[in-house]
Amino acid sequence: MKVKSLKPSELKWTCPTGIFEFSKSSELSPSTEIVGQDRAVRAVKLGLEIPSSGYNMFVTGVSGSGRETTVKRILDQIDTTTDKLTDLCYVYNFEDSTRPQALVFPAGEGKQFKEGIELCIELLQKNIPVVLGSESTAAEKGALLESYSEQKKEQMEKVEKASVEAGFAVVSIPTGQGHSRPDVLPVIDGKPYTYEELQQLAAEDKITAEKLKEYRNLHTDLFKLLTSAIRHSQSIEIKAQVEIERLYRRLLKPTVTGILARLSGLGNKESAEHVERIAETILSNIDVFSANSEEADPYIIFEVNLIVDNSDRKKRPVVVEQFPDAVRLFGNIDRIVIDNKPYSDHTMIRAGSFLRANGGYLIINAMDVVRQPGLWQTLIQTVRNRTVITRPNEMTRAFMPIELQPEPIDVDVKVILIGPGWLYTILASQDPDFGYLFRIRADFDDRMDLNEENILDFAGVIAYICQSESVLPLNSGAMASIAEQAVRLTGRHDKISLKFNMVADYVRQASYWAAQDGRDIITARDLDKAISEKQYRLSLGEDYATDRILENQVMVDTEGSVVGQLNGLAVYSGADHSFGLPSRITATVSPGVEGIINVERESEMSGKIHTKGVYVITGFFREHFALDYPLSLSAGIVFEQSYGGVDGDSASSTELYALLSALSGAPLRQDLAVTGSVNQHGRIQPIGGVNYKIEGHFKVCRERGLTGTQGVMIPDSNVVHLQLHRDVIEAVENKQFHIYPISTIEEGISLLTGIEAGEKSAHGTYPADTILGMADAQLRQMAETVRDFGGRR
């Protein structure tokens, strides 16, 4: 049966006229609905609303499909009101200052506790000096001091009396720099003498040696008595100081506990115990907290570091961490330098996103996490243990003489990771905790079915983008054009793209071109301009490659017929641009036993899929030929002037056509380019990039001059993927270019050679004047040649 070329209407989906009933897209109600993602939306809702542990979520899909926006919109739609939010504080640990204590309060009470502590400190600073300086305190203190002073006086009077009776006196001897020591010295003629002076008197015979010895013995006894009195006085002083401290404690306790009582009822048992420790610390160190020191404020240790304040929040927090790293996710401990030494305390602890999201949701880009060494492991540990440990960042830790170790804080956070599907697959297969901790996968599609309802939804989203970004509105023709371009992005004309980031780029650029022409509305011409300009910007490599063909540096024929030679089609893809071009494929055959030799594989330039495609061709030969003789063939297949490697099986039908031509001797048309995978039974299978391939061959033919016979053979199953550029469609409409849908090798070889392929008879043979018949005859002859050659040997 003769293959008919496709009609122009089959080459592209055209937006129905009249579907958009507006003159400007600004007349539409901008759509904030989540379009075309029902499957993902249901998964997201499930993940967000299940409170059980482990129901964290990994949202997959291509960038620009609205993953983050959708999650946030669903969070806006569901009721996240709660009365279980908490405030988080760090306070001084009175038992170990290097381990700040964490206090958890119901939302709002943390702020009250912090402000209450600040007020209490202010009141304590004012009232402690007032109480200690009051007349009643002074009177009680004075009475205590007087009592103990009398005791000291009595002790000294005993010493003085004994000294006078012995002819001695208690004196104070200077020791230098304003210091002195007490001593007892003998008095002679009203003057006290030291032992050295007495020795001098003895030397001068003013006193006898016996008298000197008597003075020395009396001094020893009296000095012991003086020392005992001094020690007893010191003991009395200590007792007096203790009693004064007890007095201060007794007088201050009602004031201190009364001031701190305003904090009662805030928090839990731990916060109440912390307040008791504050009171005990003050009452045990009254001298420190009553002093007016300008150098150091002793009250600073009581300061509360409120790291998470939910006092004004009624709904669960939603934290989107745009720049995740260890500090931003898990917090940090700041430091300052005092006297050239680094210093940190509990007031310098800073909360990260995990703590700020406690009780709610944390959204993170998974790629940002895995790019940073060690961050993924810390994230998984935190999610698994539901506990956040705040550490100083690595740069700071190197300079910390004593590292603070804040008390870990238990958290309840639902983590939502957003990333590509391939990353999800790697994590699920490599990390044993991943599947347990991230039980919900929400997979966002990049396309939706092409029907009237979805087209109108698509238009609503475009209208929203225009309004939210102050982009010029589109008229109905422009909206139809952008819908058609969105269909092309999917690679088939029964779907429309949901990659709104890419679609919106065309709209933004079209708005620019419309403004350049002085219009306040985007037309279809502006959209075409935006599309063509982008194509021009990115097609430098494509133009160079095309020029090499046009200059015959790369040999590709577009006219005539040649045996064993045919134009295949390949797609070249870069980061932001893809294009197709024809390339020459040749085949040679001879008698032998090597089978089909894949030159690309032999030169280690063939990928696995391409190699598989060549093996499939061997299967085709086994099914169609050599049923009653051995397949005795040595054949070579090569991509001419290919230097970068070949992969994929989309050229397997082209290679098979070239082999059949070489076997049958029938020349193949060079004005046609061919693409399509083939199975062992000769059925043509679909391939990717069909639009790029057609347009690539068309571009070469157009530059050389269209003859009216040129065209492309594609798998019939790829017709649904066609969304070709206007210039190709116009050429087909003018019968200058043709696109043929092929379903079998037999159809294709007949079109390429103009000779019937041939049908196998009941005896397993083909008509002699058909392609398969001629190929079968050649293979039989080759088998005989190999047999005869083997016999001669």
Side-chain angles (χ1 to χ4, degrees), residues 505-706:
D505 274 344
Y506 288 114
V507 176
R508 297 182 190 107
Q509 293 167 33
S511 177
Y512 167 81
W513 292 115
Q516 289 292 300
D517 289 344
R519 289 190 299 279
D520 60 358
I521 191 169
I522 300 172
T523 66
R525 186 175 66 180
D526 300 316
L527 253 305
D528 291 343
K529 175 78 169 176
I531 294 169
S532 62
E533 283 291 324
K534 181 177 181 180
Q535 169 72 18
Y536 177 74
R537 289 195 305 273
L538 302 177
S539 62
L540 181 61
E542 177 183 359
D543 290 344
Y544 279 141
T546 303
D547 288 344
R548 292 187 66 201
I549 294 175
L550 298 177
E551 294 166 0
N552 291 320
Q553 298 298 312
V554 173
M555 299 179 189
V556 173
D557 292 338
T558 53
E559 295 182 72
S561 297
V562 179
V563 174
Q565 175 179 302
L566 190 58
N567 293 326
L569 290 167
V571 173
Y572 302 86
S573 296
D576 49 12
H577 183 61
S578 298
F579 63 93
L581 283 177
S583 60
R584 177 178 291 178
I585 297 175
T586 59
T588 58
V589 295
S590 67
V593 293
E594 289 86 355
I596 299 174
I597 299 172
N598 177 8
V599 175
E600 264 65 37
R601 181 173 68 85
E602 297 299 319
S603 59
E604 298 183 350
M605 295 174 65
S606 175
K608 293 181 179 180
I609 298 177
H610 177 254
T611 300
K612 175 188 174 184
V614 176
Y615 287 142
V616 169
I617 294 174
T618 303
F620 175 88
F621 274 82
R622 289 196 186 101
E623 179 176 280
H624 287 73
F625 307 110
L627 297 180
D628 56 354
Y629 60 87
L631 190 61
S632 305
L633 169 71
S634 291
I637 301 175
V638 63
F639 278 74
E640 302 290 355
Q641 295 182 281
S642 172
Y643 309 109
V646 176
D647 202 5
D649 63 352
S650 65
S652 58
S653 65
T654 313
E655 294 167 329
L656 180 50
Y657 292 137
L659 280 172
L660 291 175
S661 171
L663 285 168
S664 66
L668 299 172
R669 292 174 58 178
Q670 302 300 295
D671 54 358
L672 296 178
V674 179
T675 184
S677 168
V678 67
N679 64 23
Q680 294 186 106
H681 306 297
R683 184 71 173 87
I684 305 298
Q685 301 170 143
I687 46 80
V690 65
N691 292 303
Y692 296 125
K693 292 178 177 180
I694 294 171
E695 289 162 358
H697 185 60
F698 172 79
K699 184 176 181 180
V700 172
C701 294
R702 182 185 60 190
E703 294 300 318
R704 286 181 171 175
L706 295 173

Side-chain angles (χ1 to χ4, degrees), residues 274-331:
H274 179 74
V275 173
E276 291 175 1
R277 291 192 188 99
I278 292 177
E280 182 59 33
T281 301
I282 294 173
L283 295 174
S284 298
N285 301 275
I286 294 173
D287 56 333
V288 174
F289 290 95
S290 61
N292 293 321
S293 173
E294 296 182 357
E295 295 182 0
D297 179 8
Y299 289 92
I300 192 144
I301 64 172
F302 303 144
E303 185 176 335
V304 176
N305 182 8
L306 179 60
I307 60 173
V308 176
D309 179 12
N310 284 316
S311 57
D312 297 326
R313 188 183 297 277
K314 301 300 181 185
K315 294 187 175 183
R316 298 184 184 276
V318 179
V319 178
V320 182
E321 184 50 73
Q322 301 286 5
F323 304 97
D325 57 25
V327 170
R328 294 184 66 88
L329 284 177
F330 310 112

Side-chain angles (χ1 to χ4, degrees), residues 722-733:
L722 295 179
Q723 191 72 8
L724 294 168
H725 283 152
R726 183 179 294 110
D727 50 359
V728 179
I729 297 173
E730 290 175 352
V732 171
E733 195 169 16

Side-chain angles (χ1 to χ4, degrees), residues 53-58 376-386 417 424 426-440:
S53 174
Y55 279 86
N56 299 292
M57 192 185 326
F58 198 108
W376 174 258
Q377 181 181 357
T378 307
L379 174 69
I380 285 294
Q381 290 172 342
T382 302
V383 175
R384 181 182 62 234
N385 298 316
R386 307 184 75 180
L417 295 178
Y424 176 90
I426 291 175
L427 295 174
S429 60
Q430 299 297 321
D431 192 327
D433 289 329
F434 180 79
Y436 168 74
L437 297 174
F438 292 86
R439 299 186 181 185
I440 297 295

Side-chain angles (χ1 to χ4, degrees), residues 325-366:
D325 57 25
V327 170
R328 294 184 66 88
L329 284 177
F330 310 112
N332 190 28
I333 304 174
D334 296 340
R335 70 183 179 96
I336 57 176
V337 176
I338 300 177
D339 296 332
N340 294 320
K341 296 180 181 179
Y343 171 80
S344 293
D345 61 30
H346 70 281
T347 65
M348 300 177 186
I349 302 171
R350 304 291 175 255
S353 300
F354 255 94
L355 291 179
R356 289 187 287 110
N358 189 27
Y361 310 90
L362 176 59
I363 302 173
I364 316 172
N365 187 299

